[in-house]
Amino acid sequence: MDQYIAVNTPLLNGNEKKYLNECIDTGWISSEGPFVKKLEDQFAQQMGREFGVAVCNGTVALELALKAIGIEPNDEIIMPTFTIISCALAAIRLGAKPVLVDSDPINWNMDISQIEAKITAKTKAIMVVHTYGLPVDMNPILALAKKYDLKIVEDAAEMHGQTYYGKPCGSFGEISTFSFYPNKLVTTGEGGMVIMDDPVIRDKCQLLRNLAFEPKQRYLHEELGWNFRMSNLQAAVGVAQLERIDEFKQRKRAMGQFYDECLNDVTELQLPLAKTAYAQNIYWVYGIVLEESVMSGKELMQQLHAEGIGTRAFFYPMHQQPALQKMGLFAGETYPVAERLARQGIYVPSGLALTQDEMKIVSDKLKTVLAKAKVSC
Ligand SMILES: *Cc1c(COP(=O)(O)O)cnc(C)c1O
């Protein structure tokens, strides 16, 4: 078999090694090292915010964000069912309740027309999750937040460098979060960031990230915090990555366009929406949704794997998660669009180090697998 094409391979050939060596040479490897502050400042500025607080991953970034804006037990937070569990977890860990909406079948983001009906006296926030490369249509959500006095938390983990009507994703609402996992547009191996404009929320995030050590007296605690710190080693990689964000963005867009050209004649596939009035897709991952009559997404993944192509399933909806159902959440709720996306959607190799030759192979194998399925039915 030819070489296996992995679903993600990061690109680490900039200043990553040089900056890591600097950490080793100077002995600055903990969160006290200078790259952490550098990454916070540079990242916040590029994403259109005043402040950044680096943390150890994108999941805890969400938990910290909710805590810092004052989410309390029994508060309700509206979010898409079609997302990663990190979003629901952040609410649940604080004793709050995730309240779900279905997805839009065309852009795969939360269906904003369903939000207002879910608002109750307990609703405190809307968690916006920009999914797979296209931002959520923010203006109607900002209007709802104003009308009902709700906070907005933006999970921009998949949107480094993306914009909504020219304004950076991650600059909307009270607070926004990012992940720097290796398949994200900027990576630190493991890592995340919370960004905001309010210095009070920044201070709160800094305190809670660092075990809530009181700034005036270490080992004295007025409240319970976490150790969510990012190390200087991670931040060193992040600073090197951030230097290339424009190039990475262009590369992702070119990859998306290339896949589009290869696959737009395959009628059984729904391809990612290339653009809307407010944004051009950044193709964090290149997702495809297969027609149900052909085969399931799972079968397609297995067949592609046999052909040497790595893929990933789309998100599995929150209302169908056994761990959440066991808690008595979402009983009897159905969200047909998200359910279909989960059954039929997969994403193909989309890492920054992927070559055009590899994308051609992926597309050809995909077409072969689908042609075979047609013959056999
Ligand atoms: C990746 C991701 C996260 C979680 O980030 P980790 O760093 O892996 O914890 C959260 N939300 C979304 C939308 C993501 O894509």
Side-chain angles (χ1 to χ4, degrees):
M1 191 167 75
D2 306 327
Q3 215 176 352
Y4 197 81
I5 301 178
V7 72
N8 177 59
T9 321
L11 207 53
L12 298 165
N13 53 359
N15 284 322
E16 288 83 356
K17 249 186 210 166
K18 180 175 166 221
Y19 297 161
L20 279 170
N21 276 332
E22 243 176 84
C23 299
I24 309 280
D25 292 342
T26 59
W28 281 112
I29 56 173
S30 79
S31 60
E32 300 281 317
F35 281 115
V36 178
K37 179 83 172 57
K38 204 170 189 174
L39 182 63
E40 288 175 338
D41 291 348
Q42 290 179 358
F43 192 78
Q45 201 213 339
Q46 290 221 26
M47 302 302 132
R49 290 283 201 185
E50 290 294 321
F51 309 111
V53 177
V55 293
C56 51
N57 58 64
T59 299
V60 301
L62 284 163
E63 193 173 347
L64 187 64
L66 290 185
K67 181 76 183 174
I69 61 164
I71 296 302
E72 291 179 351
N74 301 316
D75 288 349
E76 293 179 0
I77 300 166
I78 297 174
M79 63 180 69
T81 188
F82 186 70
T83 185
I84 188 168
I85 195 150
S86 312
C87 303
L89 263 188
I92 289 166
R93 297 275 195 224
L94 298 177
K97 191 178 162 215
V99 172
L100 307 176
V101 296
D102 205 355
S103 308
D104 179 292
I106 307 300
N107 64 37
W108 308 334
N109 274 311
M110 71 203 294
D111 181 346
I112 49 179
S113 72
Q114 297 187 12
I115 297 175
E116 192 163 17
K118 296 281 179 145
I119 297 173
T120 72
K122 291 184 178 170
T123 309
K124 287 288 154 57
I126 301 172
M127 188 182 281
V128 169
V129 186
H130 306 295
T131 302
Y132 295 164
L134 266 186
V136 173
D137 188 4
M138 290 303 299
N139 284 340
I141 297 183
L142 293 166
L144 279 178
K146 201 165 178 195
K147 181 172 169 192
Y148 293 96
D149 190 23
L150 305 175
K151 301 200 159 144
I152 290 184
V153 181
E154 216 189 339
D155 181 351
E158 303 174 359
M159 292 295 130
H160 315 65
Q162 177 60 295
T163 56
Y164 172 79
Y165 285 121
K167 189 170 184 290
C169 289
S171 67
F172 294 90
E174 271 67 32
I175 194 159
S176 309
T177 68
F178 285 85
S179 163
F180 301 131
Y181 190 71
N183 65 359
K184 306 294 157 95
L185 256 90
V186 168
T187 184
T188 61
E190 298 284 349
M193 180 94 67
V194 186
I195 60 176
M196 70 295 284
D197 297 318
D198 182 344
V200 176
I201 296 178
R202 187 249 345 243
D203 291 351
K204 187 107 191 165
C205 286
Q206 285 180 340
L207 182 79
L208 292 170
R209 154 185 79 171
N210 190 24
L211 296 172
F213 281 125
E214 280 302 314
K216 289 198 193 83
Q217 194 181 345
R218 205 174 167 84
Y219 302 113
L220 181 75
H221 305 270
E222 300 283 352
E223 58 185 315
L224 301 179
W226 295 280
N227 179 353
F228 285 167
R229 301 183 302 252
M230 174 188 275
S231 78
N232 203 47
L233 295 165
Q234 293 166 308
V237 174
V239 170
Q241 288 267 300
L242 195 56
E243 290 170 351
R244 300 175 69 188
I245 188 168
D246 290 337
E247 177 196 338
F248 288 172
K249 221 163 67 177
Q250 274 173 20
R251 211 178 156 92
K252 281 278 190 190
R253 286 209 169 114
M255 287 170 65
Q257 276 155 20
F258 188 75
Y259 269 135
D260 274 351
E261 282 163 28
C262 293
L263 297 172
N264 65 16
D265 58 341
V266 186
T267 51
E268 307 94 311
L269 292 178
Q270 180 192 0
L271 304 182
L273 191 60
K275 63 175 191 306
T276 64
Y278 46 80
Q280 209 194 327
N281 205 321
I282 203 170
Y283 303 100
W284 167 58
V285 292
Y286 194 86
I288 53 177
V289 180
L290 180 60
E291 238 173 52
E292 265 178 296
S293 59
V294 184
M295 67 176 99
S296 70
K298 205 174 199 169
E299 282 172 287
L300 180 58
M301 287 177 69
Q302 281 162 356
Q303 295 201 20
L304 286 171
H305 173 71
E307 297 282 340
I309 311 292
T311 56
R312 282 270 188 293
F314 270 15
F315 293 131
Y316 199 80
M318 290 307 105
H319 67 284
Q320 296 187 312
Q321 297 291 345
L324 303 179
Q325 288 176 344
K326 274 185 241 166
M327 301 176 65
L329 288 165
F330 318 131
E333 294 179 29
T334 57
Y335 300 95
V337 178
E339 288 166 23
R340 184 178 54 83
L341 291 177
R343 275 196 311 274
Q344 299 304 123
I346 69 169
Y347 60 88
V348 294
S350 323
L352 280 162
L354 198 70
T355 65
Q356 217 167 64
D357 286 347
E358 288 173 316
M359 284 187 275
K360 184 79 175 64
I361 295 171
V362 171
S363 306
D364 288 346
K365 300 264 186 193
L366 183 55
K367 286 182 182 177
T368 309
V369 165
L370 293 176
K372 263 194 232 157
K374 228 182 218 167
V375 170
S376 69
C377 69

